[in-house]
Amino acid sequence: MVPLVYHTSYSQLVLPARHPFPITKYQHLQQYLLTQGIATESQFVSPAPVSIDALCRIHSAQYVQDFINGTLPAGAIRRLGFPWSENLVNRTLHSVGGSALCARLAMEHGIALHLAGGYHHAHYDFGSGYCVFNDLVFAARELIDNGLAERVMIVDCDVHQGDGTATLCQQEPDIISLSLHCDSNFPSRKPASDYDVPLAKGMGDNDYIHTLKETLSYLIRLEKPDAILYDAGVDIHQDDRLGYLDVSTQGLFERDSLVLNIAKRAGIPLAAVIGGGYSTNPLHLSERHSQLFIAAKLLWQEE
């Protein structure tokens, strides 16, 4: 049974009217997985909030404290994209803790999935693009520091480049950052990941899957990671508001199946986060994110 990590705080954030971030998508996704028979209640595990001291292993202590206390400058809040609130703090601490828990569960079960996460725009001393703290680098560091892995690969398939992950991993030689992203998209400045694969605007299913397969198969042989953290962002979808690629829902399923299959065949534990996905239609968004969970269920049922 595939462990699924979820906390009710993920969607308990009050945003201004017409705010572009679909904050209810986490709650909708959990309900969709249950009502469609993709998951059962017994699969869900609730995370504890991450500690402030732990966050300071990868982030500036001043930045962490200013966020927790609500004393970030107005410009830093605008860059985050969320208004500050106690609910935002609670949600952030639980979701980062959720990605760390997901990584630990993956080492135990071979796979685990998180119904949130993918905060790859968070840098050492500032957040950006709805990302406060970098859960991917944090979870990788937790695995390494606790002796559960020696080398961790972050496979980022969100449509946007993981610029925060790239800058943080420049100081982390045992964390390998791979980003496949639309080149003509946010952020405008793209610092170097260990491996960047810029994709042409409008790329469709076949070219996307081929590029991913060739890249990931090669890098796993080259880098030999002990664990994979997979950002399964669905903003590569052809109808995503912030995308610019032309990947179908079937293409999402094929992508997720490919990544999970490659990791499983190589015997590498994989923890996945759902990453970005932007639609005003909750059902459409749930369907897109659910492809990851369907792929995992089908693959692990084969055993």
Side-chain angles (χ1 to χ4, degrees):
M1 185 170 64
V2 178
L4 308 178
V5 179
Y6 174 75
H7 195 270
T8 56
S9 67
Y10 297 166
S11 286
Q12 292 175 348
L13 181 61
V14 178
L15 297 176
R18 296 183 295 279
H19 192 282
F21 192 87
I23 195 64
T24 60
K25 75 173 185 174
Y26 310 102
Q27 179 184 0
H28 286 303
L29 176 59
Q30 192 211 23
Q31 290 303 309
Y32 184 85
L33 296 177
L34 291 171
T35 57
Q36 296 297 314
I38 301 168
T40 63
E41 288 280 4
S42 60
Q43 288 178 260
F44 287 96
V45 183
S46 184
V50 68
S51 74
I52 295 172
D53 288 343
L55 284 170
C56 294
R57 296 175 193 165
I58 67 164
H59 286 290
S60 156
Q62 186 65 58
Y63 169 60
V64 173
Q65 287 293 341
D66 283 346
F67 173 73
I68 298 298
N69 297 332
T71 55
L72 285 175
I77 293 293
R78 284 194 299 271
R79 193 169 193 173
L80 277 181
F82 287 136
W84 186 90
S85 67
E86 292 287 352
N87 281 349
L88 177 60
V89 173
N90 186 48
R91 173 188 183 271
T92 299
L93 298 181
H94 277 94
S95 58
V96 175
S99 291
L101 174 60
C102 186
R104 293 193 299 271
L105 289 170
M107 301 306 293
E108 180 181 350
H109 297 273
I111 187 171
L113 310 178
H114 187 199
L115 278 72
Y119 308 128
H120 58 173
H121 298 311
H123 295 251
Y124 173 70
D125 56 1
F126 67 92
S128 175
Y130 312 129
C131 303
V132 182
F133 301 127
N134 197 304
D135 62 315
L136 296 165
V137 176
F138 180 84
R141 193 71 257 159
E142 284 280 288
L143 290 182
I144 294 166
D145 291 347
N146 286 290
L148 298 175
E150 293 184 2
R151 289 174 64 76
V152 178
M153 178 179 286
I154 296 172
V155 178
D156 190 343
C157 289
D158 193 279
V159 79
H160 305 106
Q161 195 232 20
D163 56 332
T165 300
T167 58
L168 285 168
C169 285
Q170 290 171 1
Q171 310 301 321
E172 304 282 356
D174 41 9
I175 304 175
I176 306 107
S177 59
L178 164 63
S179 179
L180 285 85
H181 53 268
C182 180
D183 195 31
S184 301
N185 208 325
F186 178 87
S188 57
R189 176 183 174 274
K190 297 177 174 63
S193 308
D194 291 311
Y195 301 98
D196 280 302
V197 183
L199 307 175
K201 189 175 181 179
M203 178 179 281
D205 291 5
N206 292 338
D207 288 341
Y208 185 96
I209 297 300
H210 175 76
T211 301
L212 175 59
K213 182 178 181 180
E214 293 295 310
T215 301
L216 187 56
S217 299
Y218 170 72
L219 289 181
I220 282 180
R221 294 194 301 270
L222 178 68
E223 295 289 355
K224 298 178 173 60
D226 303 305
I228 289 174
L229 301 181
Y230 172 41
D231 185 340
V234 301
D235 41 13
I236 66 169
H237 192 272
Q238 57 198 179
D239 294 325
D240 192 271
R241 292 190 298 111
L242 302 181
Y244 309 144
L245 296 185
D246 193 28
V247 177
S248 68
T249 302
Q250 177 63 28
L252 290 174
F253 174 76
E254 292 176 5
R255 177 201 66 175
D256 296 338
S257 297
L258 173 66
V259 175
L260 270 56
N261 266 289
I262 288 175
K264 189 179 183 186
R265 287 200 308 269
I268 303 172
L270 180 143
V273 301
I274 67 169
Y278 305 91
S279 172
T280 56
N281 187 308
L283 177 58
H284 291 169
L285 204 47
S286 293
E287 289 173 342
R288 295 169 199 171
H289 281 301
S290 72
Q291 301 308 307
L292 170 67
F293 299 82
I294 295 169
K297 180 177 181 179
L298 291 174
L299 183 58
W300 260 258
Q301 278 181 342
E302 293 176 0
E303 294 184 339

